[in-house]
Amino acid sequence: MKFAVSFFSILVLVVSGVLFFQYQAYSSDLETGNGAFHYSQEIEIVYRENSLDIRHHFKNLPNQKVKIKWPENATNPTCFIDNENSCNRLSEEVSYFEKGETKSQSVSYIIPIEGGLKDKMLLQNVFATLTNGEVSYSVIHISTDSKTVGQWITGLPLVGQQQLSLVNYTMFSGNGTASDLYWQAGDLKAQEQTPVLTIYAQQTISNDFLKSLENLKFLNDEHIAIIQEKNPVAQHDERLLFLPTLTAQAVEQEVILSQIHSQYTFENSPAWLTEVVASYLVKGTIGSEKTKEIVQTLKDYMTASQQLAWQEAMDNLGQEPISPVTMDKLLSTVLNGKTSYFQLNATQENGTYPLLMEDERSIYVDGIHKKDVHVILYEGQVLYSADTLLPYLGYTAGEGKNGYYVNSDNRTFRFPKESGFYVFNQRRYSTISDPIIKIVDHYYVEEAWLQRLFLVELQKSDGRIQVLTQEQE
């Protein structure tokens, strides 16, 4: 027994010493002053009596007051006396580190696990963090009783694990941080590890699959753990991925999407928007059919120079939140005209909305500003929103059984769903082009037909479009 404990202690000390020499050197230059800063951390976890007992060592702290954010369910947060200075900056209420020269501080806390560890258990946000701090490097040690058999997983690379007579020990280390722990009982094992991926599966994975991983393109080199699981966990750390089937295509797509979520913030955005951005960042389309249609629409619409400008915009998105609104602003700049392409598609659950350019001028009907009337440019045509404009001209307008109906006291129109004709006052007239066009759920009237059929004059200036009825003249 003494031999097992001694061996375990020596293993921890040796491996920890080597790794901390590496990441102390890595992170020593990363302090950034009185605001945001980088720090390193070593976390020792012992699972016993239905809880995680955690010793958390913060390294490379800045000489400024630093607030500690404890996990929501953490209990007994306190100092951990590692050396004579390990808590000399910790406030009495253990809520922050005071300003000081000591760069390393150590704390301890307990994370209760009601009912104890269960198979396929995800423990989320279990570690303390520092406000305005970003973790540059992490080392995590996990120890359990030798009778507790299974696999611990974090998003960090697996360094090694030992099954000793009294304890099972697992160690992870790598750039960045981890917020979640995953536990699975049984024979789940790390089958393959690369600088970017560790793949955990119960069955040995094929050489053909491993070979296919060599050609995959990723956005960055931040490590991700992939767990083969028939019933994937819905919510989890972005450095953990659960896949029911291991294929090169699934791995590439899910890793890229996970990386892009860790690299950028998406605000009020559908899933396909993330896929669109990811497609441009890896210069290849990934994701749903809607994503593929949107990427292809943009490609077909843009000139070569616009495509280059759009690619450059995607490569330089920065840290601002990404949303359909921000994407439309970028697209409008590239196309040198206003469009709400991404916003319209965000409201379209089925299929895609076409790429329309919008005339930004104010619309006036007989001298009165009409905010609900819109003018768009689509496939070389200038179109006015029929549903909102025609009532201002004295007509009722709406979809009926046999087409789109527009009626006034003495003028009646029917524009059938079939192209090639319209009906005016019960008389049929053949057409080469369509006076009324339906785009998704909205009807538009083409500009020339608007003037011809509904007897209006259009006066255009830089800031407005005047729609004048003949009676007003």
Side-chain angles (χ1 to χ4, degrees):
M1 178 172 125
K2 290 182 179 179
F3 173 77
V5 173
S6 300
F7 179 81
F8 170 72
S9 301
I10 293 172
L11 176 65
V12 172
L13 289 173
V14 171
V15 180
S16 298
V18 172
L19 288 168
F20 256 85
F21 272 121
Q22 292 178 344
Y23 81 74
Q24 281 289 83
Y26 172 84
S27 60
S28 61
D29 296 329
L30 293 178
E31 187 177 320
T32 60
N34 293 326
F37 60 93
H38 290 75
Y39 65 96
S40 307
Q41 63 182 3
E42 181 176 19
I43 304 173
E44 303 172 70
I45 305 170
V46 177
Y47 171 70
R48 57 178 166 230
E49 297 180 357
N50 297 345
S51 68
L52 300 179
D53 292 3
I54 299 177
R55 298 173 180 176
H56 200 145
H57 310 280
F58 298 97
K59 308 287 183 174
N60 198 45
L61 294 174
N63 185 7
Q64 65 187 57
K65 181 178 177 180
V66 178
K67 184 178 180 180
I68 304 170
K69 184 178 180 181
W70 299 102
E72 287 186 6
N73 58 339
T75 62
N76 300 330
T78 187
C79 162
F80 176 71
I81 302 176
D82 193 30
N83 57 61
E84 61 180 353
N85 296 317
S86 61
C87 299
N88 65 348
R89 292 178 57 182
L90 184 62
S91 65
E92 290 186 7
E93 66 275 23
V94 297
S95 61
Y96 63 90
F97 294 124
E98 298 172 342
K99 184 177 181 181
E101 295 292 339
T102 306
K103 289 187 173 294
S104 300
Q105 295 286 277
S106 299
V107 297
S108 67
Y109 47 98
I110 296 173
I111 304 294
I113 302 176
E114 185 176 353
L117 282 179
K118 301 177 182 65
D119 186 28
K120 301 179 182 179
M121 173 174 277
L122 181 67
L123 303 170
Q124 294 188 285
N125 300 313
V126 293
F127 303 128
T129 58
L130 303 180
T131 301
N132 292 330
E134 182 177 343
V135 180
S136 58
Y137 200 94
S138 298
V139 175
I140 298 178
H141 313 268
I142 307 177
S143 301
T144 62
D145 185 278
S146 59
K147 297 178 182 179
T148 306
V149 180
Q151 179 68 55
W152 287 102
I153 299 175
T154 73
L156 299 169
L158 175 65
V159 175
Q161 44 196 355
Q162 291 284 335
Q163 292 182 342
L164 306 175
S165 59
L166 295 179
V167 296
N168 293 330
Y169 166 71
T170 306
M171 183 177 184
F172 305 89
S173 74
N175 296 337
T177 189
S179 61
D180 295 353
L181 292 175
Y182 180 73
W183 165 260
Q184 185 164 324
D187 297 327
L188 185 71
K189 295 180 180 178
Q191 301 288 346
E192 179 68 12
Q193 183 157 264
T194 72
V196 179
L197 305 174
T198 300
I199 299 177
Y200 296 86
Q202 290 185 336
Q203 305 297 326
T204 302
I205 53 183
S206 69
N207 290 328
D208 289 341
F209 172 69
L210 295 178
K211 189 173 181 63
S212 68
L213 297 179
E214 298 174 1
N215 299 320
L216 299 185
K217 300 177 182 178
F218 301 118
L219 296 179
N220 55 56
D221 58 0
E222 186 172 88
H223 188 272
I224 289 178
I226 296 178
I227 302 103
Q228 186 177 21
E229 172 54 49
K230 292 182 179 179
N231 300 304
V233 177
Q235 301 293 329
H236 51 77
D237 182 350
E238 288 164 355
R239 299 186 72 170
L240 297 177
L241 286 178
F242 296 84
L243 296 179
T245 305
L246 293 178
T247 65
Q249 182 179 5
V251 168
E252 181 178 39
Q253 176 168 313
E254 294 305 318
V255 169
I256 289 171
L257 293 177
S258 178
Q259 289 178 332
I260 200 171
H261 275 292
S262 66
Q263 189 171 340
Y264 300 99
T265 300
F266 287 84
E267 193 173 74
N268 301 322
S269 297
W272 58 259
L273 184 61
T274 306
E275 296 171 352
V276 169
V277 174
S279 295
Y280 279 97
L281 293 180
V282 298
K283 298 178 176 60
T285 307
I286 63 171
S288 64
E289 287 302 316
K290 183 165 184 172
T291 298
K292 295 174 183 177
E293 289 180 25
I294 288 174
V295 171
Q296 188 62 46
T297 295
L298 293 172
K299 181 179 179 181
D300 293 341
Y301 190 92
M302 293 180 184
T303 64
S305 60
Q306 287 173 338
Q307 289 183 38
L308 289 174
W310 179 247
Q311 182 65 59
E312 184 176 354
M314 294 296 98
D315 291 337
N316 296 282
L317 284 171
Q319 298 304 311
E320 294 299 318
I322 300 170
S323 68
V325 174
T326 61
M327 290 288 284
D328 279 330
K329 288 180 179 178
L330 287 174
L331 184 58
S332 296
T333 299
V334 169
L335 299 180
N336 194 29
K338 186 176 186 304
T339 182
S340 301
Y341 181 58
F342 290 100
Q343 294 173 76
L344 290 170
N345 273 294
T347 63
Q348 190 69 22
E349 293 185 4
N350 300 318
T352 59
Y353 212 99
L355 178 52
L356 311 172
M357 302 306 296
E358 303 165 23
D359 196 315
E360 296 187 76
R361 287 175 289 187
S362 299
I363 310 300
Y364 287 77
V365 177
D366 292 334
I368 301 174
H369 186 200
K370 303 298 184 182
K371 294 183 179 180
D372 59 345
V373 178
H374 306 288
V375 180
I376 63 172
L377 286 75
Y378 176 63
E379 294 185 345
Q381 300 178 90
V382 179
L383 305 175
Y384 292 70
S385 54
D387 296 328
T388 54
L389 173 58
L390 294 178
Y392 292 130
L393 303 180
Y395 296 89
T396 60
E399 186 174 5
K401 180 180 179 180
N402 296 311
Y404 190 73
Y405 293 81
V406 181
N407 300 317
S408 67
D409 290 340
N410 54 7
R411 295 165 60 83
T412 63
F413 294 90
R414 180 172 66 87
F415 301 94
K417 298 176 182 179
E418 302 84 7
S419 300
F421 73 97
Y422 68 93
V423 177
F424 171 58
N425 286 349
Q426 307 303 316
R427 184 173 178 180
R428 174 172 171 153
Y429 294 85
S430 298
T431 64
I432 297 176
S433 62
D434 293 324
I436 298 291
I437 297 172
K438 185 178 182 181
I439 300 176
V440 187
D441 295 325
H442 302 284
Y443 284 89
Y444 295 86
V445 55
E446 192 274 330
E447 185 175 69
W449 283 107
L450 171 65
Q451 297 176 84
R452 176 180 174 184
L453 296 180
F454 301 105
L455 310 177
V456 299
E457 177 187 350
L458 300 178
Q459 295 179 354
K460 299 182 179 182
S461 61
D462 290 341
R464 64 172 60 188
I465 297 176
Q466 292 270 18
V467 181
L468 301 175
T469 61
Q470 286 185 348
E471 292 76 9
Q472 184 71 17
E473 293 180 302

